[in-house]
């Protein structure tokens, strides 16, 4: 895909003040990265039309930070990404590590349209 082939609304949603409209994301790989983040940070029940969408990483704020919580998060993240984004990515690996008050999330996935391996590393303070 080239720049002319693809454009979408940027996540998180923002307004392009110069144009007076929503910001757009012209890069397909960056768009997919934003979709992954939407799945991670949307809690089930948060979307009216899709009450089971998301995996709710933010909810972990109320869980004790331990290896057990990290393992549960790892399975939840893997299953949610597989369920919601399987048509566009193949999830190769999800690793979640509990370190003090933080969770380190490392995701490796294959962008199917380009057969390109992508990495997403996040740190969530809980």
């Amino acid at each position: 895909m080239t720049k002319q082939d693809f454009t979408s609304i940027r996540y998180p949603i923002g307004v392009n003040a110069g144009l007076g409209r929503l910001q757009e994301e012209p890069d397909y790989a960056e768009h997919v990265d934003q979709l992954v983040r939407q799945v991670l940070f949307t809690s089930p029940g948060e979307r009216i039309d899709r009450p089971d969408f998301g995996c709710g990483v933010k909810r972990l704020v109320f869980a004790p930070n331990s290896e057990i919580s990290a393992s549960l998060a790892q399975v939840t993240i893997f299953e949610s990404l597989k369920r919601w984004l399987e048509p566009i990515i193949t999830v190769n690996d999800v690793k979640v590590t509990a370190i003090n008050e933080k969770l380190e999330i490392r995701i490796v996935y294959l962008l199917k349209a380009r057969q390109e391996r992508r990495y997403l590393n996040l740190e969530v303070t809980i």
Side-chain angles (χ1 to χ4, degrees):
M1 289 186 189
T2 65
K3 190 172 182 178
Q4 293 80 18
D5 294 330
F6 181 83
T7 191
S8 75
I9 296 173
R10 183 160 176 72
Y11 176 82
I13 292 177
V15 176
N16 183 328
L19 298 175
R21 61 181 182 198
L22 294 176
Q23 287 182 334
E24 295 179 346
E25 180 56 63
D27 181 18
Y28 181 71
E30 184 63 27
H31 169 69
V32 173
D33 182 77
Q34 293 166 11
L35 291 176
V36 170
R37 290 171 189 264
Q38 283 183 50
V39 171
L40 294 178
F41 294 114
T42 301
S43 295
E46 195 172 325
R47 290 196 175 179
I48 293 171
D49 292 335
R50 291 192 179 207
D52 52 344
F53 178 82
C55 71
V57 168
K58 294 185 292 186
R59 291 184 305 177
L60 296 174
V61 126
F62 302 107
N65 194 14
S66 65
E67 285 305 313
I68 294 170
S69 294
S71 294
L72 179 61
Q74 188 169 309
V75 170
T76 303
I77 290 168
F78 183 86
E79 292 300 322
S80 293
L81 291 174
K82 186 176 176 188
R83 177 177 183 194
W84 295 106
L85 298 178
E86 190 169 34
I88 56 176
I89 68 172
T90 299
V91 181
N92 297 119
D93 193 31
V94 175
K95 295 252 191 276
V96 179
T97 309
I99 301 174
N100 297 325
E101 73 283 350
K102 298 176 187 164
L103 280 180
E104 287 185 354
I105 302 170
R106 301 186 190 292
I107 302 168
V108 180
Y109 63 91
L110 179 71
L111 192 56
K112 290 182 178 181
R114 296 181 178 171
Q115 291 299 302
E116 176 181 294
R117 181 171 287 202
R118 305 278 299 170
Y119 301 88
L120 179 62
N121 298 317
L122 299 168
E123 191 173 273
V124 178
T125 302
I126 60 173

